[in-house]
Amino acid sequence: DQQVKQNSPSLSVQEGRISILNCDYTNSMFDYFLWYKKYPAEGPTFLISISSIKDKNEDGRFTVFLNKSAKHLSLHIVPSQPGDSAVYFCAASGSRLTFGEGTQLTVNP
Amino acid sequence: EPEVTQTPSHQVTQMGQEVILRCVPISNHLYFYWYRQILGQKVEFLVSFYNNEISEKSEIFDDQFSVERPDGSNFTLKIRSTKLEDSAMYFCASSWGTSGETQYFGPGTRLLVL
């Protein structure tokens, strides 16, 4: 199932800099996209979402951008903090959530 | 803040045994889900449940699996005869509505089938 793909398994950034996590999808019927953060031995924690009718949604340090023509979304975290170090999953919603593989973000102090 | 809870956190069982994984969804949510994540793989949808019946299930959710809401608060996943390949983290989730509504996940149950 390659409907949602996160091509970067890992990303390392310095504290205070911007983290950009990317996600691509193939199914144009998805109408809602979400980003989850996951620590080891815990469940996915909801971060931020965006409807397919919008191109940007912002919540504090987190901004999600959606480019429907490219079937691409990205999560920007600025400024990045060491506590942001986790695995980030993008997920696309129809009646079920379809997840990407996840990207391990490491924020170095 | 309301949260989804799951028990047990870990379960070890012998192949062929039945297991029941338990979840307490967020109290005013109407839709309930089970997902699983095999080590090193994606989180995969298993089943969704609404109004006391299955609303959607994936190809993974075969006759060995069943779900139930035995009372007003619990939501269970039963695996009738476990196989080695059922070893995974199982996550319960709930949401107020369906498509377009955020699903909130529990901490997961790690199932190990020996």
Side-chain angles (χ1 to χ4, degrees), chain A residues 1-5 31-32 34 36 38 41-44 46 49 89 93-97 99-101, chain B residues 33 35 37 42-45 48 56-59 89 91 98-108:
Chain A
D1 179 3
Q2 297 291 305
Q3 291 193 79
V4 179
K5 192 138 185 66
D31 57 4
Y32 195 64
L34 307 92
Y36 287 86
K38 187 180 180 302
E42 294 185 12
F46 170 71
S49 61
F89 292 97
S93 175
S95 54
R96 61 172 78 173
L97 289 181
F99 283 85
E101 297 88 342
Chain B
Y33 312 85
Y35 292 80
Q37 186 180 27
K42 289 186 177 186
V43 176
E44 303 172 289
F45 169 80
S48 58
E56 188 176 354
K57 61 184 181 180
S58 72
E59 56 282 356
M89 281 290 287
F91 296 107
T98 184
S99 179
E101 292 289 336
T102 300
Q103 295 182 24
Y104 294 90
F105 284 76

Short mmCIF file of all heavy atoms in Angstrom, two decimals, chain A residues 1-5 31-32 34 36 38 41-44 46 49 89 93-97 99-101, chain B residues 33 35 37 42-45 48 56-59 89 91 98-108:
data_model
loop_
_atom_site.label_atom_id
_atom_site.label_comp_id
_atom_site.label_asym_id
_atom_site.label_seq_id
_atom_site.Cartn_x
_atom_site.Cartn_y
_atom_site.Cartn_z
N ASP A 1 0.85 -1.18 0.00
CA ASP A 1 0.00 0.00 0.00
C ASP A 1 0.89 1.24 0.00
O ASP A 1 1.48 1.58 1.01
CB ASP A 1 -0.91 -0.01 1.23
CG ASP A 1 -1.80 1.22 1.30
OD1 ASP A 1 -1.74 2.04 0.35
OD2 ASP A 1 -2.53 1.36 2.27
N GLN A 2 1.00 1.91 -1.15
CA GLN A 2 1.88 3.06 -1.29
C GLN A 2 1.09 4.34 -1.44
O GLN A 2 1.58 5.31 -2.00
CB GLN A 2 2.78 2.86 -2.51
CG GLN A 2 3.71 1.66 -2.38
CD GLN A 2 4.77 1.89 -1.33
OE1 GLN A 2 5.50 2.85 -1.38
NE2 GLN A 2 4.82 1.00 -0.34
N GLN A 3 -0.12 4.39 -0.95
CA GLN A 3 -0.96 5.56 -1.15
C GLN A 3 -0.44 6.78 -0.42
O GLN A 3 -0.71 7.90 -0.83
CB GLN A 3 -2.39 5.26 -0.69
CG GLN A 3 -3.11 4.26 -1.56
CD GLN A 3 -4.58 4.27 -1.25
OE1 GLN A 3 -5.33 5.14 -1.70
NE2 GLN A 3 -5.03 3.30 -0.47
N VAL A 4 0.25 6.58 0.69
CA VAL A 4 0.85 7.68 1.45
C VAL A 4 2.30 7.33 1.68
O VAL A 4 2.60 6.25 2.19
CB VAL A 4 0.13 7.91 2.79
CG1 VAL A 4 0.79 9.03 3.57
CG2 VAL A 4 -1.35 8.22 2.55
N LYS A 5 3.18 8.24 1.30
CA LYS A 5 4.60 7.91 1.36
C LYS A 5 5.40 9.04 1.99
O LYS A 5 5.26 10.21 1.63
CB LYS A 5 5.11 7.64 -0.06
CG LYS A 5 6.48 7.01 -0.11
CD LYS A 5 6.55 5.93 -1.16
CE LYS A 5 7.89 5.22 -1.13
NZ LYS A 5 8.08 4.46 0.10
N ASP A 31 -9.62 13.49 1.73
CA ASP A 31 -10.17 14.81 1.95
C ASP A 31 -9.65 15.50 3.21
O ASP A 31 -10.06 16.63 3.51
CB ASP A 31 -11.70 14.74 1.98
CG ASP A 31 -12.23 13.78 3.04
OD1 ASP A 31 -11.42 13.22 3.80
OD2 ASP A 31 -13.46 13.59 3.10
N TYR A 32 -8.77 14.83 3.90
CA TYR A 32 -8.32 15.38 5.18
C TYR A 32 -6.98 14.76 5.48
O TYR A 32 -6.80 13.54 5.25
CB TYR A 32 -9.35 14.99 6.25
CG TYR A 32 -9.31 15.71 7.56
CD1 TYR A 32 -9.55 17.07 7.65
CD2 TYR A 32 -9.08 15.01 8.74
CE1 TYR A 32 -9.55 17.72 8.86
CE2 TYR A 32 -9.07 15.64 9.95
CZ TYR A 32 -9.31 17.01 10.01
OH TYR A 32 -9.31 17.65 11.23
N LEU A 34 -3.57 14.54 8.25
CA LEU A 34 -3.20 14.75 9.65
C LEU A 34 -1.72 14.42 9.84
O LEU A 34 -1.15 13.59 9.12
CB LEU A 34 -4.02 13.84 10.57
CG LEU A 34 -5.53 13.87 10.45
CD1 LEU A 34 -6.04 12.81 9.47
CD2 LEU A 34 -6.18 13.64 11.81
N TYR A 36 0.78 13.11 12.97
CA TYR A 36 0.86 12.54 14.31
C TYR A 36 2.33 12.45 14.69
O TYR A 36 3.21 12.25 13.86
CB TYR A 36 0.25 11.14 14.37
CG TYR A 36 -1.26 11.09 14.29
CD1 TYR A 36 -1.92 11.06 13.07
CD2 TYR A 36 -2.02 11.05 15.45
CE1 TYR A 36 -3.31 11.00 13.01
CE2 TYR A 36 -3.42 10.98 15.40
CZ TYR A 36 -4.04 10.96 14.18
OH TYR A 36 -5.41 10.90 14.12
N LYS A 38 4.95 10.42 17.40
CA LYS A 38 4.96 9.18 18.17
C LYS A 38 6.29 9.00 18.88
O LYS A 38 7.35 9.01 18.23
CB LYS A 38 4.67 7.98 17.26
CG LYS A 38 4.49 6.68 18.04
CD LYS A 38 4.20 5.53 17.11
CE LYS A 38 4.01 4.24 17.89
NZ LYS A 38 5.18 3.88 18.71
N ALA A 41 7.06 3.26 22.40
CA ALA A 41 6.18 2.62 23.38
C ALA A 41 4.95 3.47 23.72
O ALA A 41 4.32 3.26 24.76
CB ALA A 41 6.93 2.26 24.65
N GLU A 42 4.61 4.43 22.85
CA GLU A 42 3.39 5.20 23.04
C GLU A 42 2.58 5.18 21.76
O GLU A 42 3.08 4.82 20.69
CB GLU A 42 3.71 6.66 23.41
CG GLU A 42 4.38 6.81 24.77
CD GLU A 42 4.56 8.27 25.14
OE1 GLU A 42 3.97 9.14 24.48
OE2 GLU A 42 5.30 8.53 26.10
N GLY A 43 1.31 5.56 21.86
CA GLY A 43 0.48 5.66 20.68
C GLY A 43 0.73 6.96 19.94
O GLY A 43 1.31 7.90 20.48
N PRO A 44 0.30 7.04 18.67
CA PRO A 44 0.40 8.29 17.92
C PRO A 44 -0.38 9.41 18.61
O PRO A 44 -1.51 9.20 19.04
CB PRO A 44 -0.21 7.94 16.56
CG PRO A 44 -0.13 6.45 16.46
CD PRO A 44 -0.30 5.95 17.85
N PHE A 46 -1.96 13.18 18.12
CA PHE A 46 -2.37 14.11 17.08
C PHE A 46 -1.65 15.45 17.25
O PHE A 46 -1.53 15.99 18.35
CB PHE A 46 -3.88 14.33 17.15
CG PHE A 46 -4.37 15.45 16.29
CD1 PHE A 46 -4.38 15.33 14.91
CD2 PHE A 46 -4.81 16.65 16.85
CE1 PHE A 46 -4.82 16.37 14.11
CE2 PHE A 46 -5.26 17.69 16.07
CZ PHE A 46 -5.26 17.54 14.68
N SER A 49 -3.85 19.16 11.61
CA SER A 49 -4.52 18.59 10.45
C SER A 49 -4.83 19.69 9.44
O SER A 49 -4.71 20.89 9.73
CB SER A 49 -5.81 17.90 10.87
OG SER A 49 -6.70 18.84 11.49
N PHE A 89 4.37 10.90 11.73
CA PHE A 89 3.61 10.20 10.70
C PHE A 89 2.65 11.18 10.04
O PHE A 89 1.94 11.92 10.73
CB PHE A 89 2.77 9.07 11.30
CG PHE A 89 3.57 7.92 11.83
CD1 PHE A 89 3.88 7.82 13.17
CD2 PHE A 89 3.99 6.91 10.98
CE1 PHE A 89 4.61 6.76 13.66
CE2 PHE A 89 4.72 5.84 11.46
CZ PHE A 89 5.03 5.76 12.80
N SER A 93 -6.99 10.81 5.33
CA SER A 93 -8.29 10.33 5.78
C SER A 93 -9.31 10.28 4.67
O SER A 93 -9.52 11.25 3.95
CB SER A 93 -8.81 11.25 6.89
OG SER A 93 -10.11 10.87 7.27
N GLY A 94 -9.86 9.09 4.50
CA GLY A 94 -11.13 8.95 3.82
C GLY A 94 -12.02 8.49 4.95
O GLY A 94 -12.23 9.17 5.93
N SER A 95 -12.49 7.26 4.91
CA SER A 95 -13.23 6.70 6.03
C SER A 95 -12.28 6.05 7.03
O SER A 95 -12.66 5.76 8.17
CB SER A 95 -14.23 5.66 5.55
OG SER A 95 -13.56 4.71 4.76
N ARG A 96 -11.07 5.80 6.63
CA ARG A 96 -10.04 5.24 7.50
C ARG A 96 -8.81 6.11 7.36
O ARG A 96 -8.68 6.86 6.40
CB ARG A 96 -9.71 3.80 7.08
CG ARG A 96 -9.16 3.72 5.66
CD ARG A 96 -8.65 2.35 5.28
NE ARG A 96 -9.71 1.42 4.94
CZ ARG A 96 -9.47 0.20 4.45
NH1 ARG A 96 -8.23 -0.22 4.26
NH2 ARG A 96 -10.47 -0.61 4.17
N LEU A 97 -7.88 5.95 8.30
CA LEU A 97 -6.60 6.65 8.16
C LEU A 97 -5.61 5.74 7.44
O LEU A 97 -5.49 4.55 7.77
CB LEU A 97 -6.04 7.01 9.53
CG LEU A 97 -6.75 8.11 10.31
CD1 LEU A 97 -6.05 8.36 11.64
CD2 LEU A 97 -6.85 9.38 9.51
N PHE A 99 -1.62 5.62 6.71
CA PHE A 99 -0.41 6.23 7.25
C PHE A 99 0.78 6.11 6.31
O PHE A 99 0.89 5.16 5.53
CB PHE A 99 -0.02 5.54 8.57
CG PHE A 99 -0.84 5.96 9.75
CD1 PHE A 99 -2.06 5.37 10.01
CD2 PHE A 99 -0.39 6.96 10.60
CE1 PHE A 99 -2.82 5.76 11.11
CE2 PHE A 99 -1.15 7.36 11.69
CZ PHE A 99 -2.36 6.76 11.95
N GLY A 100 1.68 7.09 6.41
CA GLY A 100 2.99 6.96 5.81
C GLY A 100 3.90 6.14 6.71
O GLY A 100 3.51 5.69 7.79
N GLU A 101 5.14 5.98 6.25
CA GLU A 101 6.09 5.12 6.97
C GLU A 101 6.64 5.78 8.23
O GLU A 101 7.17 5.11 9.11
CB GLU A 101 7.28 4.78 6.06
CG GLU A 101 6.93 3.98 4.83
CD GLU A 101 6.54 4.85 3.65
OE1 GLU A 101 6.22 6.04 3.87
OE2 GLU A 101 6.55 4.34 2.51
N TYR B 33 -11.94 2.45 16.44
CA TYR B 33 -11.07 1.84 15.44
C TYR B 33 -10.02 0.97 16.11
O TYR B 33 -9.62 1.21 17.25
CB TYR B 33 -10.32 2.93 14.64
CG TYR B 33 -11.17 4.05 14.12
CD1 TYR B 33 -11.49 5.14 14.93
CD2 TYR B 33 -11.68 4.03 12.82
CE1 TYR B 33 -12.27 6.18 14.47
CE2 TYR B 33 -12.47 5.08 12.35
CZ TYR B 33 -12.76 6.15 13.18
OH TYR B 33 -13.54 7.17 12.70
N TYR B 35 -6.10 -0.35 14.90
CA TYR B 35 -4.99 -0.34 13.96
C TYR B 35 -3.90 -1.24 14.55
O TYR B 35 -3.89 -1.53 15.74
CB TYR B 35 -4.41 1.07 13.80
CG TYR B 35 -5.30 2.06 13.11
CD1 TYR B 35 -6.35 2.69 13.79
CD2 TYR B 35 -5.12 2.37 11.78
CE1 TYR B 35 -7.17 3.61 13.16
CE2 TYR B 35 -5.94 3.30 11.12
CZ TYR B 35 -6.95 3.91 11.83
OH TYR B 35 -7.76 4.82 11.19
N GLN B 37 0.57 -2.11 14.17
CA GLN B 37 1.86 -1.79 13.58
C GLN B 37 2.80 -2.95 13.86
O GLN B 37 3.23 -3.13 15.02
CB GLN B 37 2.43 -0.48 14.13
CG GLN B 37 3.71 -0.05 13.43
CD GLN B 37 4.28 1.25 13.96
OE1 GLN B 37 4.07 1.61 15.11
NE2 GLN B 37 4.99 1.98 13.12
N LYS B 42 4.40 0.00 8.57
CA LYS B 42 3.47 1.11 8.74
C LYS B 42 2.38 0.76 9.75
O LYS B 42 2.07 -0.40 9.98
CB LYS B 42 2.77 1.41 7.41
CG LYS B 42 3.63 2.04 6.35
CD LYS B 42 2.74 2.39 5.16
CE LYS B 42 3.50 3.10 4.07
NZ LYS B 42 2.63 3.56 2.98
N VAL B 43 1.75 1.80 10.27
CA VAL B 43 0.51 1.61 11.02
C VAL B 43 -0.58 1.26 10.01
O VAL B 43 -0.76 1.97 9.00
CB VAL B 43 0.15 2.90 11.79
CG1 VAL B 43 -1.19 2.75 12.50
CG2 VAL B 43 1.25 3.27 12.78
N GLU B 44 -1.30 0.17 10.27
CA GLU B 44 -2.29 -0.33 9.31
C GLU B 44 -3.67 -0.36 9.94
O GLU B 44 -3.85 -0.81 11.07
CB GLU B 44 -1.97 -1.77 8.90
CG GLU B 44 -0.60 -1.99 8.30
CD GLU B 44 -0.35 -3.48 8.12
OE1 GLU B 44 -0.16 -4.19 9.13
OE2 GLU B 44 -0.34 -3.93 6.96
N PHE B 45 -4.65 0.06 9.18
CA PHE B 45 -6.04 0.02 9.61
C PHE B 45 -6.55 -1.42 9.66
O PHE B 45 -6.28 -2.22 8.74
CB PHE B 45 -6.88 0.83 8.62
CG PHE B 45 -8.36 0.68 8.78
CD1 PHE B 45 -9.05 1.37 9.75
CD2 PHE B 45 -9.07 -0.17 7.93
CE1 PHE B 45 -10.43 1.24 9.88
CE2 PHE B 45 -10.45 -0.30 8.04
CZ PHE B 45 -11.13 0.39 9.03
N SER B 48 -13.20 -0.41 11.65
CA SER B 48 -13.90 0.70 12.29
C SER B 48 -15.28 0.22 12.74
O SER B 48 -15.85 -0.72 12.14
CB SER B 48 -14.02 1.90 11.36
OG SER B 48 -14.70 1.55 10.17
N GLU B 56 -16.42 -0.62 8.58
CA GLU B 56 -15.45 -0.92 7.53
C GLU B 56 -14.38 -1.84 8.11
O GLU B 56 -14.05 -1.75 9.29
CB GLU B 56 -14.80 0.38 7.03
CG GLU B 56 -13.92 0.20 5.82
CD GLU B 56 -13.37 1.52 5.29
OE1 GLU B 56 -13.76 2.59 5.80
OE2 GLU B 56 -12.52 1.47 4.38
N LYS B 57 -13.85 -2.72 7.30
CA LYS B 57 -12.73 -3.54 7.73
C LYS B 57 -11.76 -3.73 6.58
O LYS B 57 -12.13 -3.65 5.41
CB LYS B 57 -13.21 -4.90 8.25
CG LYS B 57 -13.96 -5.73 7.24
CD LYS B 57 -14.47 -7.01 7.89
CE LYS B 57 -15.21 -7.86 6.87
NZ LYS B 57 -15.72 -9.12 7.46
N SER B 58 -10.50 -3.95 6.94
CA SER B 58 -9.48 -4.15 5.92
C SER B 58 -9.36 -5.64 5.60
O SER B 58 -9.93 -6.50 6.27
CB SER B 58 -8.14 -3.60 6.41
OG SER B 58 -7.60 -4.43 7.42
N GLU B 59 -8.52 -5.93 4.61
CA GLU B 59 -8.30 -7.31 4.23
C GLU B 59 -7.55 -8.09 5.31
O GLU B 59 -7.58 -9.31 5.34
CB GLU B 59 -7.54 -7.38 2.89
CG GLU B 59 -6.22 -6.64 2.88
CD GLU B 59 -6.35 -5.14 2.74
OE1 GLU B 59 -7.48 -4.63 2.57
OE2 GLU B 59 -5.31 -4.46 2.82
N MET B 89 2.14 -4.15 17.59
CA MET B 89 1.48 -3.19 18.49
C MET B 89 0.07 -2.98 17.95
O MET B 89 -0.12 -2.74 16.76
CB MET B 89 2.21 -1.86 18.48
CG MET B 89 3.45 -1.81 19.32
SD MET B 89 3.11 -1.86 21.09
CE MET B 89 2.45 -0.20 21.35
N PHE B 91 -3.23 -0.64 18.26
CA PHE B 91 -3.69 0.65 18.74
C PHE B 91 -5.20 0.77 18.56
O PHE B 91 -5.74 0.48 17.49
CB PHE B 91 -3.04 1.80 17.96
CG PHE B 91 -1.56 1.88 18.13
CD1 PHE B 91 -0.70 1.52 17.11
CD2 PHE B 91 -1.00 2.36 19.31
CE1 PHE B 91 0.67 1.60 17.25
CE2 PHE B 91 0.38 2.44 19.48
CZ PHE B 91 1.21 2.06 18.44
N THR B 98 -16.76 10.77 11.55
CA THR B 98 -15.98 9.98 10.60
C THR B 98 -15.09 10.91 9.78
O THR B 98 -14.53 11.83 10.31
CB THR B 98 -16.90 9.08 9.77
OG1 THR B 98 -16.12 8.24 8.92
CG2 THR B 98 -17.90 9.85 8.93
N SER B 99 -14.98 10.70 8.49
CA SER B 99 -14.02 11.40 7.66
C SER B 99 -13.99 12.90 7.96
O SER B 99 -15.01 13.57 7.99
CB SER B 99 -14.39 11.20 6.19
OG SER B 99 -13.49 11.89 5.36
N GLY B 100 -12.79 13.42 8.19
CA GLY B 100 -12.64 14.82 8.55
C GLY B 100 -12.57 15.06 10.03
O GLY B 100 -12.30 16.18 10.47
N GLU B 101 -12.82 14.04 10.81
CA GLU B 101 -12.71 14.18 12.26
C GLU B 101 -11.43 13.50 12.74
O GLU B 101 -11.10 12.40 12.31
CB GLU B 101 -13.91 13.54 12.96
CG GLU B 101 -15.23 14.26 12.72
CD GLU B 101 -15.29 15.60 13.43
OE1 GLU B 101 -14.58 15.79 14.42
OE2 GLU B 101 -16.06 16.46 12.96
N THR B 102 -10.75 14.14 13.66
CA THR B 102 -9.49 13.61 14.16
C THR B 102 -9.71 12.34 14.96
O THR B 102 -10.62 12.28 15.80
CB THR B 102 -8.80 14.67 15.03
OG1 THR B 102 -8.56 15.83 14.23
CG2 THR B 102 -7.49 14.15 15.59
N GLN B 103 -8.88 11.34 14.70
CA GLN B 103 -8.88 10.13 15.50
C GLN B 103 -7.80 10.25 16.58
O GLN B 103 -6.67 10.64 16.30
CB GLN B 103 -8.60 8.91 14.61
CG GLN B 103 -9.71 8.67 13.60
CD GLN B 103 -9.46 7.44 12.75
OE1 GLN B 103 -8.75 6.52 13.12
NE2 GLN B 103 -10.07 7.43 11.56
N TYR B 104 -8.17 9.90 17.79
CA TYR B 104 -7.26 9.95 18.93
C TYR B 104 -6.90 8.54 19.33
O TYR B 104 -7.78 7.68 19.48
CB TYR B 104 -7.91 10.72 20.10
CG TYR B 104 -8.11 12.17 19.77
CD1 TYR B 104 -9.29 12.61 19.17
CD2 TYR B 104 -7.12 13.11 20.02
CE1 TYR B 104 -9.46 13.95 18.83
CE2 TYR B 104 -7.28 14.46 19.69
CZ TYR B 104 -8.46 14.86 19.08
OH TYR B 104 -8.63 16.18 18.75
N PHE B 105 -5.61 8.33 19.51
CA PHE B 105 -5.09 6.98 19.72
C PHE B 105 -4.77 6.69 21.18
O PHE B 105 -4.35 7.58 21.93
CB PHE B 105 -3.82 6.78 18.89
CG PHE B 105 -4.09 6.58 17.42
CD1 PHE B 105 -4.43 7.64 16.61
CD2 PHE B 105 -4.03 5.31 16.86
CE1 PHE B 105 -4.70 7.47 15.26
CE2 PHE B 105 -4.30 5.11 15.51
CZ PHE B 105 -4.62 6.20 14.71
N GLY B 106 -4.93 5.43 21.55
CA GLY B 106 -4.46 4.96 22.83
C GLY B 106 -2.97 4.62 22.78
O GLY B 106 -2.35 4.71 21.72
N PRO B 107 -2.41 4.22 23.92
CA PRO B 107 -0.97 3.95 24.00
C PRO B 107 -0.55 2.63 23.37
O PRO B 107 0.64 2.40 23.16
CB PRO B 107 -0.71 3.92 25.51
CG PRO B 107 -2.01 3.52 26.10
CD PRO B 107 -3.07 4.10 25.22
N GLY B 108 -1.51 1.77 23.08
CA GLY B 108 -1.18 0.53 22.39
C GLY B 108 -1.02 -0.66 23.33
O GLY B 108 -0.74 -0.51 24.53
#
